[in-house]
Amino acid sequence: MEEHLTVGRVAELACVSVRTLHHYDEIGLVRPSARMGAGYRAYAAGDVERLREVLAYRRLGFGLREIADLVDDPDTDAVAHLRRLRGLLLEQRDRAAAMVTAIDTEPEARARGIRTTSEDQLKVFGAQLYDTIGSAYPVTRRTEPRIAARVWEALGDARTVLNVGAGTGSYEPPDRDVTAVEPSAVMRAQRPAGAAPCVAAEAESLPFPDQSFDAAMAFSTIHHWRDPIAGLREMRRVARRVVVFTHDAHDTAWRDRFRLIRDYLPEVTGLVAGRPSVQRLAGTIGARLEPVLIPWDCADGFFEAYWRRPEAYLDEPVRRAISLWTRVGPEVEQRAVDRLRDDLSSGRWSERNGDLADLDAAELGLRLLVA
């Protein structure tokens, strides 16, 4: 006979309040589905399993809306959740251990009269940007099939493909032999069951012999690399063909074409000012440049994806899965969101941008580098 647990007993075992469990019930996150003899609601085994996942994600810092999307994902079973949670917990453990080690060395250094620099002090807490935004990726970052078709076509007849900066595995071609490279444990932990094998490494130092692959691809990642030029040269070294999806942030018309930057986030142009131009990137590997239009209903929630659906930028999970929103800082982000919300409510957005309503796709500086 299946064991049922009362709300009070579950609260005691899980070290949460009964009020928290009632809240999860009210919002439909975890609802006790069983009944006790006296008619009181109780938790069945499946309810407990779901609650365990919810509490684990919660204690890792996920928001309730993000958690709902994660636990309701039809493509992720209980074992996949456990694997993902294990990876996230190991990442948290390793980060804490690294911080302890860094802190332990400072008293000894100070005793010897050595003062750590400001940069070194901050590096104790300096997570990789993808480790900050990566937890939100499953919510909004999905493969856009029309863009994927362009990438896969550019791979040509390649049978073995290296995906550099692979993240959670979006855009990996399903009909080829793929090997993934991803430095962030947070991102690796979110790769679905059955995804390509993933190596923990960085683009600038790929652990493969020369010409190991027919093709190497990188999708919307090189702007996060420490040295994009070195990373591209490594891709060229290990593969006979290179395909890179990126954006041309140095195009002077980019800011005016993308209304979010023009009217709400002009700070973004300063963030990209020091990067190598897309022309220089292409020249590094002898690549041709191909423009990629963004469909108005783009399924992948990258920065420019909601150009005709600006209300999406008001949604916290959408912004958390886009690195530029994190990089501009909380004050700039809040100002931009407040202004955008006001303009959408008042109709000013529609008045200024009515021409977008008739466009099915937009040219906003996205490029394929094919070499």
Side-chain angles (χ1 to χ4, degrees):
M1 184 174 180
E2 184 178 1
E3 180 185 13
H4 297 152
L5 299 178
T6 65
V7 174
R9 182 58 176 156
V10 168
E12 179 185 356
L13 290 170
C15 296
V16 297
S17 68
V18 170
R19 178 178 294 181
T20 294
L21 296 179
H22 283 324
H23 179 61
Y24 291 169
D25 184 6
E26 290 169 0
I27 64 176
L29 190 57
V30 183
R31 285 179 168 155
S33 61
R35 293 282 180 180
M36 304 292 281
Y40 294 108
R41 300 180 71 181
Y43 289 82
D47 307 327
V48 171
E49 185 175 272
R50 181 180 175 92
L51 178 63
R52 178 189 63 183
E53 294 167 359
V54 167
L55 293 177
Y57 284 123
R58 193 79 179 107
R59 288 167 185 172
L60 283 165
F62 286 72
L64 292 181
R65 283 196 293 178
E66 294 176 83
I67 293 171
D69 285 323
L70 288 168
V71 298
D72 287 331
D73 182 356
D75 297 324
T76 305
D77 59 17
V79 173
H81 277 297
L82 289 174
R83 287 173 177 161
R84 178 188 292 164
L85 287 167
R86 183 179 186 277
L88 293 169
L89 288 165
L90 288 174
E91 171 69 18
Q92 190 177 72
R93 180 201 66 184
D94 293 345
R95 189 171 303 286
M99 289 175 63
V100 169
T101 300
I103 289 171
D104 284 346
T105 61
E106 188 164 339
E108 180 181 351
R110 292 197 177 205
R112 295 163 53 195
I114 302 172
R115 299 285 293 185
T116 55
T117 67
S118 298
E119 288 186 359
D120 287 338
Q121 292 178 40
L122 292 175
K123 284 179 181 177
V124 175
F125 302 96
Q128 293 285 336
L129 182 59
Y130 265 134
D131 291 346
T132 302
I133 66 174
S135 62
Y137 264 61
V139 182
T140 65
R141 300 303 297 269
R142 305 178 182 92
T143 300
E144 165 50 56
R146 289 158 289 191
I147 294 177
R150 292 285 307 276
V151 175
W152 299 342
E153 180 184 8
L155 291 173
D157 60 356
R159 301 308 308 165
T160 58
V161 177
L162 179 67
N163 187 16
V164 182
T168 59
S170 298
Y171 298 93
E172 290 177 358
D175 58 344
R176 316 196 195 205
D177 181 5
V178 178
T179 301
V181 166
E182 172 53 54
S184 168
V186 171
M187 302 297 281
R188 293 197 303 271
Q190 296 179 87
R191 292 175 64 82
C198 191
V199 177
E202 296 185 344
E204 296 86 352
S205 183
L206 296 174
F208 306 104
D210 294 356
Q211 300 298 292
S212 300
F213 302 91
D214 295 333
M217 62 175 281
F219 190 93
S220 194
T221 178
I222 65 173
H223 53 288
H224 292 294
W225 297 355
R226 288 181 295 102
D227 187 343
I229 298 295
L232 288 173
R233 287 173 176 160
E234 275 289 271
M235 292 177 70
R236 171 54 95 187
R237 178 183 66 79
V238 302
R240 62 178 177 83
R241 177 181 288 263
V242 176
V243 178
V244 175
F245 178 89
T246 186
H247 61 274
D248 184 3
H250 290 263
D251 182 353
T252 56
W254 177 53
R255 171 176 170 174
D256 288 334
R257 286 200 307 269
F258 188 27
R259 313 296 169 82
L260 182 73
I261 293 177
R262 185 193 68 185
D263 298 333
Y264 305 98
L265 279 176
E267 292 82 2
V268 167
T269 55
L271 293 176
V272 301
R275 295 181 192 157
S277 68
V278 72
Q279 288 79 14
R280 184 184 173 197
L281 295 174
T284 298
I285 54 175
R288 68 178 184 272
L289 289 169
E290 299 180 1
V292 179
L293 302 185
I294 308 173
W296 77 270
D297 56 348
C298 184
D300 190 353
F302 51 77
F303 185 49
E304 298 90 347
Y306 304 101
W307 58 271
R308 213 181 88 175
R309 299 169 289 160
E311 62 280 357
Y313 295 114
L314 304 181
D315 192 357
E316 176 79 12
V318 168
R319 299 198 305 276
R320 290 289 68 79
I322 299 172
S323 60
L324 281 172
W325 282 105
T326 300
R327 293 182 62 201
V328 296
E331 292 183 4
V332 171
E333 177 181 4
Q334 192 60 56
R335 183 214 67 211
V337 169
D338 289 344
R339 188 178 299 170
L340 176 60
R341 181 181 291 108
D342 290 343
D343 285 354
L344 288 169
S345 299
S346 67
R348 283 191 295 270
W349 167 274
S350 297
E351 292 174 7
R352 284 203 301 258
N353 303 288
D355 58 312
L356 300 182
D358 296 326
L359 297 179
D360 291 328
E363 204 290 271
L364 295 177
L366 299 188
R367 298 288 183 268
L368 268 186
L369 280 62
V370 183

